[in-house]
Amino acid sequence: MIPQQKIDEIRQSIDIVDIIADYVKLQPSGRNYKALSPFTAEKTPSFVVSPDKQIYKCFSSGKGGNVFTFLMEVEKISFPEAIEVVAKRAGIDISQYRHTSQDRDQKHNNEYDTLKWAGRLYNRQLHSPSGKEGLHYLVNERKLSQKTIMAFGVGYAPDSWDFLTGEAGRSAIPVESLSLTGLLYHNARKNSSYDYFRNRIMFPIFSVAGQVIGFGGRTLSSDPNSPKYLNSPETPFFDKSKVLYGLHAARNEIRRNGQAILVEGYMDVLALHQAGITTAVASCGTALTKYQAAILQRYCSEVLFLYDADDAGQKSMLSGIDILVSSGLTPWTATLPEGDDPDSFIRKQGKEAFLDYIKENRLSFIDFQLAFHLKKGAMNEPRNKAIAVRSMLKTIHLVQDSMQKELYLQELEQKLGISMAVLREIMLQMRAGQKQATQKPAPQHSGTDSEEPGLRISVQEKTFLKALLESVEYGNEVLEFASSHQELLQLSNPAATTVLTHLLNSYRNSIAHSEAHLDVAAEIGSIEDADARGLASGLLIDPPVSAHWQASFDEEQQKAKRCLTAFLDSFKHLILNHFRQQKTNLISRLRSAANLEEEKSLSSDLALLVREEQKTENEVNAMIRSILNPNG
C-alpha cells in the first residue's frame, strides 16, 4: 500500500494541465484552460482545468476532481493504477510499494493487467520457435525492424485452441478475466471456451495513456474462410469505434504539427512510424466515426486522409470528410498509385519519395470531392451534377467557422461556374431543413441556479460551500469554526452535505495527527461520491456567486478576504436562518401558551436563544477580524 505522503508527493510533482493536455486540446481562458469535454460529444467547450487549484470540472457531464480521478474516469483504471501512471510520468519510483506477492496476486484480478499480460505473452511467442513464421513475415516480408516490433508490442497468437487458458493457469490469471477481456470465446451452445485469436500476428491496441485495451490480429492461415483481420470483441474496455490505433505513440507529434495522417491499417501505421513519420494513426479497420474525429480534434486542426485508391477507400474518404468537418477539423486527402498503400509505397520507394508524392498530390476536400464526382461522370449531366453539387454544399454547410464557409463557397463558385446567389440559396434551404428537423420543445427548468440536474443547490449553500473550500488554502481557521458549529449547519443539498462532512472529518483527522492544513485538490480527489466530487470541483472553478466577491481589496489579501467575506455572508445567512426558524417557532408557541408557567418557560427559552444567536454572530465576526487583521 502506498502511503498518503507518497501519494501527495506524486500528485504535487506533476501539473494536471500536462496530463490532461494528452487527452484534450486545451485553450487558455483567463487563469484556467478550456476544452471540449472528453466525456461527452459537445460542440461548445465546458471542460475547465484550473492550474492554480490543480483540479478539473466538466460542466456537461458533472464530473470533476484531481489528476488521479481524471485518469480513473478517462482511462477506466483503478486508483492505484492512476497513481502508477502519474508516478511514471513524474519519474518517481514506487516499485517498493507494488512488488509484493500480495500486490501481484491482486493485479491479476484486474482486467487491464490481464490484457497487458496477454500482450507481453504474445510478444514472447513471436520470438519463440512457434512464432518463427510470424516473425519471418514481419521482418522479411513487411521489413519491420525489431525496434518497431518491440515499440508497438507486436506479437503472435499460436495456432492453438487453449494456449491462453494453459498459460493463464500457470500465471494465476483467472479464466473469468480472459472472458471479460474478449481473449477467450465462450460457445454457449456447446458450453465450451477457446482462444479468440489463433495463428495470428497480434497488434496490441493501446489507450492514449499506453494501456493495452484490445487487440487486432492478422491471420497467417491460407484458409479463405478465415477473416484476414480480426479485432477484439467489444468489451467494457474496448470499443473500436472510439479508438485510434497508434495514437499513444503519435499524439505529441500530432500536437506539434497540428495535423494527423489517417490511414487504414495497422501495418500502414507501423511503416510510417518506422520511417520517422510519426503522426500516423489508423481507425482500427472501421470507417471513421464521429468519436474518432472528436479524439483527433483534441490534438490537431487538420487531418490528411491517406486511404487506398480502390473504390472502397475513396468512398470511405468521402464519407469521412463530412465527419471531420462537422467536428471542426479541416480534411485533406492524398491518393497513392493504384495497388499501393502507405506500407508498400514506403517499402519500395522510401520516406523522401513518399513525402514528395504527398506534397504533390495533396488535395483540399473540395478538390477531392470534385475529382471523385468527375471520375464517376456525375458532372456530365445536369441532374447528376445538381446532386453532386448539393453533396458538396452539404459538406460546406457543416463547416463551423463562418469565414471559412464563405471562402469555400467562393472556391466552389469559381470551380463549378455556379453563381454565389444560387449556392447561397441552396445553403439557406439546407439550413431551414436542418432547423425544422432538429427543432425540439424548449426544456423546462425548475427555479434553481444549479447547472447540474440532481445537484439542486441554493445560492446561500453554494456560496457557503465555495467559501469553505477556498478557505482551505489559507489555513484552518474557517474549518475550525465550521467544525465547532457543525450541528447548526444543516444543508438541504445531499452532495453539499457530503462535501461539508468530508472536509470537516478530514480537518479533525489532520488535527488528531498534528498535520498541516488540508490540500484541497487531494481532498476533492478523495471524495468517493462522484456527484459530491463534481460539485466541489465546479464550485472551486465557478465564477463568484456573491456580490461580496467583487469587492476591491489589496492585491496581497484579495483572495483570502473575498473567501472569508463570502463565508461570513453565507454562514450568517445559514446560521441566523436556523436561529430565526427556532425564534419563529417559540414566538408562535408563546402566543398560544395555556398558562403563566408555560409562558415564563418559553420566554426564558427565547431569551436564551437570542443570547446564543448574538454570541454566535460575534464569534463569526471575531474570527474574520482575527484572520484578516492579525496584527490589529
Side-chain angles (χ1 to χ4, degrees):
M1 184 175 179
I2 306 176
Q4 185 60 47
Q5 186 177 0
K6 178 59 71 171
I7 293 173
D8 291 340
E9 178 193 340
I10 293 167
R11 181 179 51 77
Q12 292 165 5
S13 67
I14 204 81
D15 187 345
I16 191 173
V17 174
D18 292 337
I19 296 290
I20 292 181
D22 285 344
Y23 298 84
V24 296
K25 191 196 299 182
L26 293 171
Q27 299 290 343
S29 177
R31 296 180 65 88
N32 299 327
Y33 289 87
K34 270 194 171 184
L36 293 172
S37 169
F39 308 118
T40 63
E42 63 180 10
K43 292 188 176 180
T44 303
S46 72
F47 182 84
V48 182
V49 182
S50 169
D52 296 338
K53 300 178 177 69
Q54 290 293 296
I55 59 173
Y56 71 93
K57 171 66 179 180
C58 175
F59 288 94
S60 64
S61 68
K63 300 180 189 296
N66 61 16
V67 66
F68 297 136
T69 54
F70 176 80
L71 288 170
M72 290 165 68
E73 289 282 2
V74 79
E75 289 288 346
K76 304 301 180 188
I77 57 178
S78 66
F79 181 59
E81 289 172 314
I83 294 172
E84 188 171 347
V85 170
V86 178
K88 184 178 179 181
R89 181 75 170 263
I92 297 175
D93 181 19
I94 58 171
S95 58
Q96 62 177 308
Y97 304 111
R98 57 182 172 83
H99 282 319
T100 66
S101 59
Q102 183 181 5
D103 288 338
R104 283 196 296 269
D105 291 341
Q106 289 175 348
K107 284 182 73 177
H108 289 328
N109 294 325
N110 183 284
E111 281 69 42
Y112 283 105
D113 289 309
T114 298
L115 288 162
K116 185 193 296 184
W117 166 83
R120 290 174 175 172
L121 181 63
Y122 287 141
N123 182 257
R124 289 198 301 271
Q125 285 301 304
L126 180 67
H127 296 89
S128 73
S130 67
K132 183 178 179 181
E133 182 186 357
L135 189 61
H136 180 274
Y137 169 79
L138 292 170
V139 174
N140 296 89
E141 294 185 39
R142 307 310 288 259
K143 306 301 181 187
L144 287 185
S145 66
Q146 277 295 334
K147 181 180 178 181
T148 301
I149 290 171
M150 296 307 293
F152 284 84
V154 184
Y156 171 71
D159 193 8
S160 168
W161 295 86
D162 58 1
F163 168 71
L164 279 183
T165 307
E167 291 294 328
R170 283 186 282 274
S171 302
I173 299 288
V175 174
E176 295 79 18
S177 284
L178 296 179
S179 298
L180 287 170
T181 53
L183 293 167
L184 207 63
Y185 178 78
H186 180 71
N187 188 320
R189 185 171 59 84
K190 295 183 178 180
N191 194 27
S192 62
S193 298
Y194 54 85
D195 286 11
Y196 188 76
F197 296 101
R198 303 178 304 281
N199 195 26
R200 289 181 179 272
I201 299 292
M202 298 298 291
F203 301 93
I205 300 170
F206 297 90
S207 69
V208 176
Q211 292 266 15
V212 180
I213 56 175
F215 292 90
R218 187 203 187 280
T219 187
L220 293 177
S221 171
S222 57
D223 183 356
N225 295 319
S226 178
K228 185 176 180 181
Y229 279 94
L230 185 66
N231 284 318
S232 289
E234 188 170 320
T235 69
F237 328 101
F238 178 69
D239 181 345
K240 65 181 180 181
S241 70
K242 299 178 181 179
V243 178
L244 288 163
Y245 178 73
L247 185 61
H248 72 290
R251 66 175 189 263
N252 291 333
E253 196 62 28
I254 289 174
R255 186 185 287 113
R256 279 192 287 270
N257 286 357
Q259 182 189 80
I261 298 178
L262 187 62
V263 295
E264 291 188 87
Y266 303 119
M267 289 303 307
D268 293 330
V269 171
L270 297 182
L272 288 173
H273 277 257
Q274 181 168 281
I277 304 170
T278 56
T279 57
V281 295
S283 51
C284 289
T286 66
L288 183 70
T289 67
K290 63 179 182 179
Y291 301 105
Q292 293 166 336
I295 293 170
L296 287 171
Q297 201 275 338
R298 300 171 193 168
Y299 300 97
C300 60
S301 57
E302 296 184 354
V303 174
L304 173 65
F305 261 121
L306 200 57
Y307 280 15
D308 291 349
D310 58 22
D311 196 51
Q314 299 296 288
K315 287 182 177 178
S316 291
M317 283 198 284
L318 197 66
S319 61
I321 282 171
D322 282 358
I323 292 172
L324 291 175
V325 169
S326 64
S327 298
L329 290 158
T330 301
W332 296 85
T333 69
T335 302
L336 294 174
E338 194 76 36
D340 263 328
D341 56 29
D343 172 36
S344 63
F345 190 101
I346 279 192
R347 273 191 283 119
K348 288 186 293 186
Q349 302 195 41
K351 174 184 177 181
E352 295 308 319
F354 174 84
L355 292 175
D356 288 343
Y357 183 91
I358 295 300
K359 185 177 180 181
E360 294 170 7
N361 292 273
R362 171 178 159 129
L363 297 176
S364 70
F365 71 85
I366 287 181
D367 285 335
F368 172 79
Q369 289 175 320
L370 185 57
F372 179 88
H373 292 305
L374 283 168
K375 185 178 179 181
K376 295 294 181 182
M379 310 304 282
N380 300 330
E381 186 266 323
R383 181 176 176 276
N384 289 335
K385 184 174 182 178
I387 294 172
V389 171
R390 285 183 180 275
S391 173
M392 297 171 73
L393 281 172
K394 176 190 170 187
T395 304
I396 295 175
H397 179 62
L398 295 172
V399 175
Q400 297 175 10
D401 185 273
S402 56
M403 177 65 75
Q404 288 184 34
K405 188 178 293 188
E406 179 70 14
L407 293 172
Y408 286 135
L409 282 174
Q410 291 177 13
E411 184 179 345
L412 207 58
E413 177 190 38
Q414 295 170 2
K415 292 181 176 179
L416 295 177
I418 300 175
S419 71
M420 283 287 284
V422 172
L423 295 177
R424 285 203 176 95
E425 183 182 349
I426 298 172
M427 289 276 284
L428 285 172
Q429 292 171 2
M430 288 181 176
R431 189 177 297 117
Q434 185 184 52
K435 185 176 181 181
Q436 186 176 2
T438 59
Q439 205 165 35
K440 295 180 181 178
Q444 300 298 311
H445 296 289
S446 59
T448 69
D449 70 318
S450 174
E451 70 286 332
E452 298 171 30
L455 289 181
R456 306 305 181 188
I457 181 170
S458 68
V459 171
Q460 283 183 10
E461 291 187 4
K462 196 172 184 180
T463 307
F464 165 75
L465 200 57
K466 180 175 176 65
L468 186 62
L469 283 161
E470 293 223 338
S471 75
V472 172
E473 184 177 346
Y474 309 109
N476 290 335
E477 287 86 351
V478 175
L479 283 169
E480 182 181 358
F481 188 86
S483 177
S484 63
H485 294 79
Q486 186 174 2
E487 72 281 357
L488 301 178
L489 294 170
Q490 298 177 6
L491 307 182
S492 60
N493 179 270
T497 301
T498 299
V499 175
L500 174 63
T501 303
H502 177 89
L503 283 175
L504 296 184
N505 287 342
S506 294
Y507 162 70
R508 293 180 188 122
N509 184 61
S510 69
I511 293 300
H513 292 85
S514 302
E515 295 174 355
H517 68 268
L518 304 181
D519 183 321
V520 71
E523 292 308 321
I524 288 177
S526 62
I527 297 174
E528 293 185 4
D529 182 76
D531 287 341
R533 189 169 62 242
L535 174 64
S537 303
L539 289 176
L540 274 178
I541 289 177
D542 256 350
V545 293
S546 168
H548 287 285
W549 294 52
Q550 304 301 330
S552 175
F553 298 101
D554 293 336
E555 185 66 27
E556 294 178 359
Q557 296 181 327
Q558 186 176 5
K559 287 185 179 178
K561 286 191 176 182
R562 281 191 302 192
C563 166
L564 293 170
T565 305
F567 177 83
L568 171 63
D569 180 50
S570 55
F571 191 87
K572 270 187 176 179
H573 278 89
L574 288 171
I575 297 297
L576 296 182
N577 186 57
H578 174 78
F579 285 112
R580 193 176 298 114
Q581 289 176 352
Q582 287 187 304
K583 284 194 295 185
T584 301
N585 181 46
L586 283 173
I587 291 170
S588 175
R589 290 170 61 190
L590 260 174
R591 288 172 178 167
S592 58
N595 52 59
L596 185 59
E597 288 300 317
E598 182 182 359
E599 185 176 335
K600 285 182 178 180
S601 176
L602 290 171
S603 295
S604 176
D605 290 344
L606 181 59
L608 182 65
L609 183 64
V610 170
R611 287 197 297 272
E612 188 178 345
E613 178 186 21
Q614 186 60 53
K615 178 186 175 185
T616 301
E617 186 173 359
N618 290 339
E619 286 177 348
V620 173
N621 290 330
M623 177 195 67
I624 297 297
R625 283 196 301 270
S626 68
I627 298 170
L628 296 185
N629 301 290
N631 299 320

